[in-house]
Every structure is written in structure tokens, then in C-alpha cells.
């Protein structure tokens, strides 16, 4: 999962992009990058690390220009190479930079064709570079020195006909304008908005989540529709076009479960309200299947489960308490690249408040359970703090399948629920009782009459991959790339240093 942002303005945008990436930092902690444009030239800074660490004063001073795009990244296949941080750049047929959130499921098929037929060199293993070169080739086919909006949209149509999977992308074409587009299923989110200056001119912003626009004072215009492209030309005029028929509007439901900030609105759905409803439906399941429960207190696992846990406690008529204090200077363990690093960080990140546990039957609530190692350690911490019994509830259903659309789910064999019964999972994590949300209830909780979204991408729960191109061989290859041993070997091999980004200034560090 990644975060993207683009600002088309009339004054320096470096600070605005930096602030937006900080707001989107929850979407990726592996790397960050910004490209700005001034007088037809691009200025780039990108590197591994958090936004606050990648950009120093000297970098910000060099990011001149009134237009720019930015990206925060975490790797979906274990690579932490700075060469794969975004945005990416090509210089033909124009100077083009692109930032991408998602995953192309046919990237391996596209790469040979880009080289042999399109005469384009791919320098990394990133599918985002494949997407950029596919876009560049489609623009080059039009052969226009000065492309019109219809040329841009025709190129995007060509990209969508060629690329499969999930993608929400923002790009700049040097001297011509800013472009954003979203895959025909609308799996990954993207929203755009505007603000009017005192002199009457209009600035535009594109981002993964509405909260980034809110923080910069932009009013939301709309979510980018599935298969739609948005283009702001060199005169500052906004153009939109449906470049591909909507195949089946199915945004990723895991955005609402875990990734998105609760104050975001995605495709007309409030993330906060959907999480409230997840708590209600989970409470209803407990009352239906365990009416004589002996829960004394409901305690959330900070932070994403807090909203659901609060509503769950309210509907159960049970006390809600904050039982864990979170060290906010430790990263999200789900995003960390290796199992040993995740294990080490859990007890550094959370510390129990003993009086909320001592002698009580505690229901711990988390947004989801992926590997199970984190909740196993948290349950152990609760017992050590004196809990009489420790129950565990997940606001999401059991995750039994890998994600192929841009979320770094582990290899199938590393998923705690894969191939296990509920009783076996309870035993594995050490819980006295485990309650999962039902998938039907999760969909009902997320769906709202205010949104046109009816169905969601739920493959991690049901194994149904909506793009229709995911084979057992694809999943087997994905498992090889994503398992923790592969990630460790990749980090330890040192071979990433052979990839050199000629447009970065990392050598100053």
C-alpha cells in the first residue's frame, strides 16, 4: 500500500506536498519522494525512510516549482531498495514523472514487450516503472509535440487496455500538465479537489485520501471514478474523461478495515462510520452466538481498532477501557519487512495498564488478524498483567488468502488462519475465545446509501480475485517473493546497490 499526492498550484508547492505526505504517512513508511516542476524542469528528492527523515531543509530548498507530485511507499514484495522509491521518471516522449499506488498483476508479462516492441528499458523490479513506461509509450504513439487533452486520454485508454490489476496513479508531463487515473475496478482510492485563490485562480490537488485535501484547505470535487482520468492542462483547466468502461466497481474493503485514516471519506463512504458499524455488527454476533458471555471490559489494540471497539462495548453494555499505551515512535508492525523485526517491536510499541486487566475477563479487539504473532504477544501481555481470561475479537473476517492488489500480505503459509479451524487459531494465539467478524456483516457495515459502491474487493477473505487473471502459478510465485526468508535474504544480499538512480541526490547523505 502506498500514498500518492499531486498539487497543481501557482506558488511553491514543496511544503504542501511535504505536509500531505506526512498526513498520508500511515500508507507507507519504507520510502518517500517528491518531484516538483519549474520552467519545464523536474527537481527530485526521494529516499528510504519516513517523510520527516527523507526531506531536510536543503532538500526542500531545491524542490522549487508550483506543481509537484509525491509518494510514500512500502514494498509489496519485500524489497527496500531506494532505487524502487517513487516517483519514477522517463524523458521520452516528454519528461514524465509518475507515482503509483497498487499492483499490476501482469507486470511480468508487460516487461518483455516494453523492451522488445516499445524499446523501453525497465531499470527496477517495480511494477510502477512498468506503468510509467506503458503510459510513455502510449503518449509516444500519438506523436504530438504538444498533446491535447484528447491525446492524453487516448494514451490512458491504451494503458488501461494493456495493464491489469490495481492502480491509482498521478503523473506530471513536463510543460504540459498533471494527470491522474484509476483502474477500471476502482480497487485503490484516489480523490481530487480544488481551492480558489484571492485573485480568482483555481489550484487543484489529487491524493489517495480526502484527509490530505482537508489538511491543505482543498474542497473535494469528487473521487476519481473507476476507469476515469483527470487532467489539468498547462493553462490550469481541469478535464475529466472516462477512458475505460467500468468493469465492476469494487474498491478494496481493507482500506476501511485498516489502512485508511478514520477521518477520510473514500468513494462517499466515511471510514469512521464504517468502523463504528463494524463494532455494532460484531457485538450483534457476540450477543447472538454467546448471549451468556462473561466479558468484564472491552480493550482496543491501538489505534485502528479503537472506533470499532468503542461501539462494540456500547452495544454489549460492557465497560470500555484503554488498557494499552502506545509508543507512537514505533512504526506499524504490519508494514515492517521481516518477522523478527515485527516480533521485536510489539512489546516496545505497547505497554499494558495493569489495573485494567487484574482479575478481569478481558475482550481485546483488533481491526484484523494477519500472521497472529502480534495478537499472540498481546494476549500474553494481558495475562502477565493479571487478566483472569483473555478473549480476542477481530473487526474483520479471517484472512486466509494473499492480496495481489498492492497490500503486503504475507505468504499464504504465514497467514494464521490459512488451513486452520477457529479452535486451532484460538490455540495458536493463546486466546480463551476468538470471535471473527462475518464477511457479510463487514460488507453491510461498510456499504452506505450515500455511496454508489455496492460490492467490494474482498479477496483476502474469500479468495475471489476480481481481475480474473490470478492463477495458482501466480500465487505460488508471489509466495516465493513474499515469505519472510526471501525478504531477509534480499536485505542481506546487498545486490540492491547495483541499481543507480541518476536523478536522485542520495549520494549527499
Amino acid at each position: 500500500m502506498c500514498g500518492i499526492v499531486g498539487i497543481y498550484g501557482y506558488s511553491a508547492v514543496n511544503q504542501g506536498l511535504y505536509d500531505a505526505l506526512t498526513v498520508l504517512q500511515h500508507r507507507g513508511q519504507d520510502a518517500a519522494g517528491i518531484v516538483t516542476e519549474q520552467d519545464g524542469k523536474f527537481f527530485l528528492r526521494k529516499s528510504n525512510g519516513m517523510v520527516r527523515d527523507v526531506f531536510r531543509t536543503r532538500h526542500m530548498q531545491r524542490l522549487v516549482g508550483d506543481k509537484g507530485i509525491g509518494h510514500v511507499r512500502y514494498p509489496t514484495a519485500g524489497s527496500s531498495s531506494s532505487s524502487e522509491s517513487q516517483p519514477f521518471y522517463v524523458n521520452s516522449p516528454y519528461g514524465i514523472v509518475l507515482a503509483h499506488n497498487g499492483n499490476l498483476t501482469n507486470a511480468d508479462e508487460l516487461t518483455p514487450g516494453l523492451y522488445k516492441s516499445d524499446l523501453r528499458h525497465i531499470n527496477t523490479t517495480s511494477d510502477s516503472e512498468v506503468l510509467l513506461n506503458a503510459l510513455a509509450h502510449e503518449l509516444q504513439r500519438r506523436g504530438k509535440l504538444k498533446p491535447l487533452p484528447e491525446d492524453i486520454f487516448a494514451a490512458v485508454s491504451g494503458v488501461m487496455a494493456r495493464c491489469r490489476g490495481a492502480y491509482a496513479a498521478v503523473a506530471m508531463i513536463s510543460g504540459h500538465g498533471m494527470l491522474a487515473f484509476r483502474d477500471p475496478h476502482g480497487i485503490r482510492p484516489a480523490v481530487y479537489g480544488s481551492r480558489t485563490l484571492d485573485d480568482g485562480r483555481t489550484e487543484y490537488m489529487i491524493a489517495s485520501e480526502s484527509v490530505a485535501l482537508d489538511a491543505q484547505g482543498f474542497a473535494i470535487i469528487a473521487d476519481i471514478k473507476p476507469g476515469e482520468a483527470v487532467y489539468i492542462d498547462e493553462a490550469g483547466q481541469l478535464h475529466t474523461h472516462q477512458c475505460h468502461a467500468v468493469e465492476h466497481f469494487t474498491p478494496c474493503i481493507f482500506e476501511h478495515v485498516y489502512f485508511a485514516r478514520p477521518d477520510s471519506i473514500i468513494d462517499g463512504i466515511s471510514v469512521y462510520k464504517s468502523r463504528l458499524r463494524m463494532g455494532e455488527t460484531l457485538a450483534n454476533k457476540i450477543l447472538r452466538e454467546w448471549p451468556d458471555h462473561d466479558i468484564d471490559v472491552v480493550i482496543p489494540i491501538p489505534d485502528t481498532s479503537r472506533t470499532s471497539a468503542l461501539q462494540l462495548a456500547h452495544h454489549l453494555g460492557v465497560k470500555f477501557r484503554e488498557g494499552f499505551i502506545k509508543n507512537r515512535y514505533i512504526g506499524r508492525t504490519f508494514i515492517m519487512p521481516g518477522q523478527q523485526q515485527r516480533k521485536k517491536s510489539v512489546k516496545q510499541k505497547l505497554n499494558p495498564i495493569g489495573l485494567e486487566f487484574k482479575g478481569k475477563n478481558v475482550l481485546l479487539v483488533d481491526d484484523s488478524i494477519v500472521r497472529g504473532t502480534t495478537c499472540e504477544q498481546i494476549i500474553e501481555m494481558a495475562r502477565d498483567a493479571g487478566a483472569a481470561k483473555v478473549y480476542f475479537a477481530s473487526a474483520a473476517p479471517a484472512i486466509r488468502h494473499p492480496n495481489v492488489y498492492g497490500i503486503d500480505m504475507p505468504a499464504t503459509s504465514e497467514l494464521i488462519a490459512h488451513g486452520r479451524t477457529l479452535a486451532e487459531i484460538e490455540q495458536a494465539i493463546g486466546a480463551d475465545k476468538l470471535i471473527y467478524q462475518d464477511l457479510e456483516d463487514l460488507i453491510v457495515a461498510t456499504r452506505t446509501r450515500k455511496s454508489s459502491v455496492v460490492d467490494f474487493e474482498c479477496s483476502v477473505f474469500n479468495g475471489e480475485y476480481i481481475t480474473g487473471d490470478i492463477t495458482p502459478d501466480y500465487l505460488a510465485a508471489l509466495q516465493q517473493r513474499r515469505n519472510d526468508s526471501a525478504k531477509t535474504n534480499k536485505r542481506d544480499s546487498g545486490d540492491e546497490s547495483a541499481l543507480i538512480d541518476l536523478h536522485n541526490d542520495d549520494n549527499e547523505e
Side-chain angles (χ1 to χ4, degrees), residues 138-188:
E138 293 297 328
L139 286 168
Q140 190 163 4
R141 287 181 58 198
R142 272 74 201 166
K144 295 288 188 72
L145 180 64
K146 185 178 177 61
L148 299 174
E150 51 263 38
D151 299 312
I152 301 296
F153 293 139
V156 174
S157 295
V159 170
M160 291 184 176
R162 196 173 185 182
C163 298
R164 297 195 302 269
Y167 47 88
V170 60
M172 278 196 304
I173 305 170
S174 179
H176 298 293
M178 183 173 293
L179 169 69
F181 53 94
R182 192 177 180 191
D183 72 78
H185 290 92
I187 300 172
R188 300 267 71 87

Side-chain angles (χ1 to χ4, degrees), residues 254-499:
F254 214 71
E255 291 277 356
H256 296 272
V257 170
Y258 176 82
F259 269 106
R261 275 182 42 155
D263 45 347
S264 286
I265 297 174
I266 299 177
D267 295 313
I269 301 172
S270 165
V271 176
Y272 175 75
K273 287 187 177 180
S274 65
R275 289 179 183 169
L276 282 177
R277 291 191 291 266
M278 289 176 205
E280 292 177 14
T281 54
L282 192 56
N284 289 337
K285 179 176 181 178
I286 292 173
L287 292 173
R288 184 173 64 249
E289 298 184 358
W290 191 19
D292 57 345
H293 70 80
D294 58 351
I295 301 167
D296 295 320
V297 62
V298 172
I299 293 177
I301 310 301
D303 283 313
T304 45
S305 66
R306 184 173 285 113
T307 307
S308 296
L310 182 62
Q311 197 72 348
L312 184 152
H314 175 72
H315 276 258
L316 288 182
V318 173
K319 292 179 181 179
F320 173 88
R321 291 290 186 268
E322 294 286 353
F324 292 101
I325 299 301
K326 182 178 180 180
N327 179 352
R328 300 185 184 278
Y329 301 97
I330 299 291
R332 299 174 91 174
T333 55
F334 177 82
I335 295 176
M336 289 181 179
Q339 184 68 5
Q340 291 302 317
Q341 190 175 354
R342 283 188 296 271
K343 285 183 177 180
K344 180 180 178 182
S345 71
V346 174
K347 290 189 177 181
Q348 293 175 340
K349 184 169 69 171
L350 297 176
N351 192 52
I353 300 175
L355 61 89
E356 297 295 355
F357 292 91
K358 193 173 180 61
K360 299 177 182 178
N361 296 334
V362 177
L363 175 64
L364 303 180
V365 180
D366 209 349
D367 53 77
S368 58
I369 304 172
V370 184
R371 293 173 175 86
T373 52
T374 297
C375 58
E376 180 185 2
Q377 292 178 72
I378 290 172
I379 289 169
E380 182 182 337
M381 291 166 65
R383 293 195 190 282
D384 290 344
K389 292 182 180 178
V390 182
Y391 309 124
F392 206 96
S394 168
I399 296 172
R400 302 183 186 277
H401 308 276
N403 184 281
V404 301
Y405 300 124
I407 298 178
D408 188 24
M409 289 290 176
T412 305
S413 60
E414 295 168 357
L415 296 170
I416 186 71
H418 180 74
R420 286 188 173 97
T421 65
L422 182 65
E424 289 171 338
I425 301 170
E426 283 177 349
Q427 184 177 11
I429 65 175
D432 292 299
K433 188 175 184 64
L434 173 62
I435 305 101
Y436 275 114
Q437 183 90 261
D438 291 333
L439 181 56
E440 295 78 10
D441 288 341
L442 177 63
I443 292 172
V444 168
T446 309
R447 197 161 47 201
T448 174
R449 287 175 293 179
K450 295 181 180 179
S451 172
S452 60
V453 178
V454 177
D455 296 322
F456 295 90
E457 197 289 306
C458 302
S459 57
V460 298
F461 306 122
N462 60 17
E464 298 174 6
Y465 298 99
I466 58 173
T467 52
D469 58 340
I470 306 304
T471 65
D473 288 343
Y474 183 97
L475 294 176
L478 189 69
Q479 168 139 335
Q480 289 299 314
R481 292 198 299 269
R482 285 189 177 177
N483 67 67
D484 279 325
S485 61
K487 293 178 182 181
T488 301
N489 291 338
K490 190 171 185 65
R491 288 196 311 275
D492 292 343
S493 67
D495 61 356
E496 295 164 348
S497 61
L499 298 172

